Amino acid sequence: MNRTDLNRAGCAHESELVKAERAGAWTPELLAHAENCLACAQTLQIARALQQSAQRSHLLHRMPSAGQVWFKAQRRAREAAIRRATRSMRVMQFLGVLYALALAVWGARSLVAGELNTLTPALKSAGGGFAVLSSLCALACMALGLLIFLGDRPRKQGLGR
Amino acid sequence: MEAARTIDGFAETDEKQCAQTGEERLQELYEATSRPLWAYLFHVLGRADAADDVVQETYCRFLERKTPVMDRAATKSYLFRIATNLVRDRFRSGTGKSENRLAQMARIDDSSHLELPARESGSDVEARLDVMAAMGQMKPRERELLWLAYVEGMSHAEIAAATGLGTMSIRLLLFRARRKAAQLLRPERTNV
């Protein structure tokens, strides 16, 4: 291929060229080819410029240490565990409040209906029905809480997301 | 010893590795892979502090994942993939755009504005300015492709895995990026 042969396909020797430049292991044939192929000449020009820039930035920048990264990862893992645990607790708290509110509404309704006087005996006499209702509510809350808790495990996410 | 997982996401393959703590293994991996990763991020994002952030975030994500047993090359490729996704998220959210100084570098010749270390010689600064200016006029994806192909020496399939692009489109995109970069880089300063 000569310098006029630059087309969309580029040149088959480009990857060889980059490897040779990275390793500093040039063969005379490859060097001769690079001088005559426009695609390879461009590849070489860019590869050299970028690799030199990479080397300079390697030498001059102070990276964050591995210890810092480890510490950050550990802290994040702890925070995530706490978040998961407290989320389940918050859901249970919310359900508890909901249950109390339902109870309050039921009590208020009894008051409005003028059954205040009969409320205490009613609680005693209709205790069976109320207890069954309460138990069902409590069970539903527990099942819901357990479902949310079990579903709150770390989910698989896309890379970097 | 059969491969077993540890809580930090590293797989144990032999007794030597079992004896190492997660932190020691991270240190080993970090020393082998963090500098090329940082250089890649610096040239794509255009800021050293942003590159530092993304490098740290990349390793944190890597530790969070339950990664299967991988050799060094595959691990490095996986890290570049995470980093590339993070860079893309940054540009998508607008953070990358506002913090990208590459575009700024492309428009100015005064090196006093730039985030370049003081120990570089004049010619080094000029050469690096040229590279950064050229990169600044390119799209983030073009910068990624050029870096992965010409600095990391990745194959089209590896680049496709790291960037999420199709293997077939890599060839054309890389060809366009190379042609653009060759026009932007001044040959007399790149020693070709």
Side-chain angles (χ1 to χ4, degrees):
Chain A
M1 184 180 276
N2 60 43
R3 280 189 174 251
T4 59
D5 284 334
L6 184 63
N7 57 32
R8 289 194 160 209
C11 177
H13 295 288
E14 280 174 42
S15 59
E16 272 179 75
L17 216 83
V18 173
K19 277 178 194 158
E21 179 64 19
R22 272 165 61 84
W26 284 90
T27 60
E29 295 81 19
L30 203 57
L31 265 176
H33 171 80
E35 281 172 13
N36 295 314
C37 172
L38 182 56
C40 288
Q42 281 187 351
T43 299
L44 194 57
Q45 177 197 2
I46 297 161
R48 277 185 181 163
L50 295 183
Q51 284 174 22
Q52 282 167 8
S53 186
Q55 279 165 6
R56 281 186 216 112
S57 58
H58 285 177
L59 293 171
L60 296 163
H61 181 71
R62 184 175 289 177
M63 300 276 304
S65 71
Q68 277 175 277
V69 175
W70 178 257
F71 178 75
K72 192 176 175 182
Q74 293 295 303
R75 197 188 59 206
R76 279 174 52 157
R78 274 198 303 273
E79 283 170 359
I82 290 168
R83 243 194 335 268
R84 276 198 299 277
T86 52
R87 189 179 156 193
S88 307
M89 283 168 71
R90 261 184 275 131
V91 169
M92 294 306 283
Q93 276 175 345
F94 173 75
L95 290 173
V97 169
L98 209 68
Y99 183 62
L101 277 174
L103 195 65
V105 168
W106 179 81
R109 211 177 120 199
S110 301
L111 280 172
V112 171
E115 291 174 3
L116 184 60
N117 296 332
T118 57
L119 185 62
T120 315
L123 275 173
K124 285 175 185 168
S125 61
F130 178 70
V132 169
L133 187 71
S134 303
S135 304
L136 285 173
C137 279
L139 272 173
C141 290
M142 282 165 68
L144 193 61
L146 195 66
L147 210 69
I148 291 164
F149 180 74
L150 290 174
D152 198 28
R153 289 175 174 176
R155 289 174 190 89
K156 196 177 179 183
Q157 297 170 333
L159 289 173
R161 292 195 170 88
Chain B
M1 177 179 285
E2 196 159 326
R5 288 220 173 105
T6 58
I7 49 162
D8 54 48
F10 283 106
E12 296 167 356
T13 51
D14 56 26
E15 283 180 14
K16 186 192 164 205
Q17 279 188 316
C18 288
Q20 283 184 309
T21 64
E23 189 173 0
E24 284 168 346
R25 266 175 282 156
L26 174 72
Q27 182 131 19
E28 204 176 278
L29 176 72
Y30 191 81
E31 275 167 17
T33 55
S34 62
R35 288 200 170 275
L37 188 67
W38 185 87
Y40 165 64
L41 291 166
F42 174 62
H43 285 82
V44 174
L45 290 167
R47 282 185 68 137
D49 55 350
D52 282 348
D53 286 348
V54 179
V55 163
Q56 290 191 47
E57 185 63 23
T58 300
Y59 285 94
C60 285
R61 298 276 173 117
F62 177 80
L63 292 172
E64 282 169 17
R65 305 271 178 271
K66 301 290 177 200
T67 47
V69 183
M70 285 190 283
D71 61 20
R72 182 55 54 81
T75 306
K76 190 177 169 188
S77 176
Y78 188 66
L79 287 167
F80 271 84
R81 187 174 166 193
I82 298 174
T84 304
N85 281 338
L86 288 169
V87 166
R88 202 149 298 158
D89 286 349
R90 252 178 134 89
F91 278 108
R92 205 172 287 152
S93 68
T95 325
K97 242 177 215 174
S98 61
E99 73 189 6
N100 190 352
R101 289 196 185 174
L102 291 169
Q104 185 187 344
M105 290 177 188
R107 290 193 299 271
I108 56 175
D109 285 331
D110 181 7
S111 63
S112 64
H113 286 74
L114 305 178
E115 204 178 69
L116 295 174
R119 283 176 286 167
E120 277 184 302
S121 69
S123 61
D124 283 350
V125 171
E126 279 184 4
R128 193 137 89 110
L129 258 175
D130 271 354
V131 172
M132 298 305 269
M135 294 290 262
Q137 290 183 56
M138 305 190 80
K139 292 175 187 164
R141 177 162 287 172
E142 292 171 330
R143 298 199 283 264
E144 289 169 9
L145 291 175
L146 287 176
W147 198 269
L148 295 175
Y150 299 147
V151 180
E152 292 306 320
M154 287 188 185
S155 67
H156 290 182
E158 287 169 328
I159 296 172
T163 56
L165 296 167
T167 313
M168 296 305 287
S169 45
I170 299 288
R171 183 187 286 264
L172 184 61
L173 290 171
L174 194 56
F175 169 78
R176 286 181 188 154
R178 186 190 67 207
R179 197 171 52 181
K180 195 168 168 183
Q183 285 167 354
L184 293 168
L185 285 168
R186 283 176 258 178
E188 68 272 17
R189 283 188 187 164
T190 51
N191 307 322
V192 177

